[in-house]
């Protein structure tokens, strides 16, 4: 639980180039025919009709910087006031230095601002908010920027090329199916002390739980993402239900005004709604047009919903990340 932490702003950078699932079907047409798989699986099974990609010359970290600049402006915070930058991107062009240093420099943050990456698959952004909130409550910093930029271009291209080779079988194809749902995008959030910003959105707290015995069910790199979809869904739902049930001792999340889920697919969303009894009308979906943008999915969806939220609305951020981990965090708008 947090005592004095508020979300001051959230902003997103939407990648401009649209790649439709019909286009991917067309590029994979020979493989689909050879494997006797129908077209339209991405639309009918995953519910992903489009995803976004960067234009030529655009970089994911530049997009993250842009989101960070707009988030700071919306919060009314100068770069010199920031004490912490946490980058949560899965995408990275090299092992070192951190992606955070490029974004720290791009935002013009002071040398006193601690900066580093947190890597925890699709839960990284929520984890980053949680850690930043703890440091604000501890009085170590006044303001934090949590940020994320993702680039799905390489993994998308590499996956399509590999799935088009003759040695790929149906089982291999389906193990890489999730890679085709990924999209590019960026987002940033600014956190600060609630008592200094009474119009901010209070971060109340939440829960996180792990089921790391499932660490090999979804393994990804720039070359591709390989998934045991059936086992991943089963393990993920067991973890979500366990965390949801445990949380009832301290939290009442059955009647939230909005549920901001990590954006994966129709199958994933339907399973969570069935397992928890969440009202579908309170769950906005962005994956049909943006795909799965990794850790940026939750803040991109929250940014899209922000204008429709009213003071006092209760918002739950929740998701599952490969590994497996789950996290749920309540905000009051």
């Amino acid at each position: 639980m947090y005592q004095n932490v508020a979300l001051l702003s959230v902003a997103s950078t939407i990648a401009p180039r649209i790649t439709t699932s019909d286009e991917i079907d067309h590029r994979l047409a020979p493989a689909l025919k050879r494997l006797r798989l129908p077209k339209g699986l991405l639309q009918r099974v995953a519910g992903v009709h489009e995803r976004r990609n960067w234009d030529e010359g655009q970089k994911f970290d530049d997009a993250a910087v842009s989101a960070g600049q707009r988030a700071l402006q919306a919060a009314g915070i100068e770069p010199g006031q920031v004490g912490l930058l946490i980058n949560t991107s899965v995408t990275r062009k090299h092992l070192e230095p951190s992606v955070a240093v490029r974004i720290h420099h791009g935002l013009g943050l002071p040398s006193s601002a601690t900066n580093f990456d947190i890597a925890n698959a699709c839960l990284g952004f929520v984890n980053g908010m949680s850690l930043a909130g703890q440091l604000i409550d501890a009085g170590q910093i006044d303001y934090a920027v949590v940020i994320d930029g993702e680039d799905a271009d390489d993994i998308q291209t590499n996956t399509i090329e590999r799935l088009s080779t003759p040695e790929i079988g149906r089982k291999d194809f389906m193990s890489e199916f999730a890679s085709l749902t990924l999209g590019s995008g960026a987002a940033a959030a600014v956190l600060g002390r609630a008592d200094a910003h009474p119009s901010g959105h209070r971060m109340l707290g939440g829960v996180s739980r792990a089921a790391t015995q499932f660490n090999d069910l979804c393994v990804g790199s720039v070359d591709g993402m390989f998934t045991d979809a059936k086992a991943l869904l089963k393990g993920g739902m067991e973890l979500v239900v366990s965390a949801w049930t445990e949380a009832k001792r301290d939290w009442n999340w059955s009647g939230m005004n909005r549920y901001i889920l990590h954006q994966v697919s129709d199958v994933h969303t339907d399973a969570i709604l069935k397992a928890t009894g969440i009202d579908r009308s309170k769950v906005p979906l962005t994956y049909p047009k943006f795909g799965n943008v990794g850790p940026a999915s939750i803040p991109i969806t929250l940014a899209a919903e922000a204008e429709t939220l009213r003071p006092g609305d209760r918002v739950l951020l929740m998701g599952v990340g490969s590994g497996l981990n789950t996290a749920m965090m309540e905000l009051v708008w």
Side-chain angles (χ1 to χ4, degrees), residues 75-212:
I77 303 303
E78 296 296 326
Q81 297 175 270
V82 176
L84 174 68
L85 170 77
I86 301 178
N87 170 67
T88 67
S89 306
V90 171
T91 301
R92 56 192 320 108
K93 295 300 183 183
H94 39 67
L95 292 177
E96 60 176 317
S98 69
V99 178
V101 297
R102 167 70 180 85
I103 297 174
H104 181 283
H105 176 69
L107 288 175
L109 301 186
S111 63
S112 56
T114 303
N115 60 95
F116 52 80
D117 294 348
I118 282 183
N120 194 21
C122 295
L123 282 186
F125 204 95
V126 178
N127 293 152
M129 291 178 66
S130 178
L131 177 57
Q134 292 172 44
L135 293 176
I136 291 170
D137 262 348
Q140 295 191 27
I141 57 172
D142 292 326
Y143 299 101
V145 176
V146 182
I147 203 160
D148 186 275
E150 303 297 340
D151 187 345
D153 285 36
D154 286 345
I155 189 172
Q156 196 175 91
T157 299
N158 293 340
T159 298
I160 292 172
E161 289 179 355
R162 185 168 44 254
L163 293 180
S164 299
T165 58
E167 61 268 22
I168 292 293
R170 287 174 66 106
K171 184 177 180 181
D172 300 318
F173 189 99
M174 297 312 299
S175 75
E176 296 196 56
F177 181 74
S179 299
L180 303 176
T181 69
L182 300 177
S184 304
V190 177
L191 280 61
R193 297 199 319 272
D195 59 5
H197 297 273
S199 62
H201 318 301
R202 290 291 296 260
M203 277 174 49
L204 298 187
V207 300
S208 63
R209 292 292 182 269
T212 53

Side-chain angles (χ1 to χ4, degrees), residues 268-311:
H268 177 271
T269 303
D270 290 345
I272 286 184
L273 299 188
K274 182 179 179 180
T276 58
I278 290 174
D279 182 350
R280 183 180 292 272
S281 68
K282 298 180 179 180
V283 181
L285 302 179
T286 55
Y287 63 79
K289 60 179 180 179
F290 295 148
N292 177 352
V293 198
S297 288
I298 285 177
I300 283 175
T301 306
L302 181 61
E305 289 294 298
E307 289 187 2
T308 69
L309 293 170
R310 298 292 176 258

Side-chain angles (χ1 to χ4, degrees), residues 123 207-211 239 242-243 246-247 249 324-327:
L123 282 186
V207 300
S208 63
R209 292 292 182 269
L239 182 61
S242 174
E246 261 191 273
R249 295 179 304 187
L324 288 168
N325 288 286
T326 187

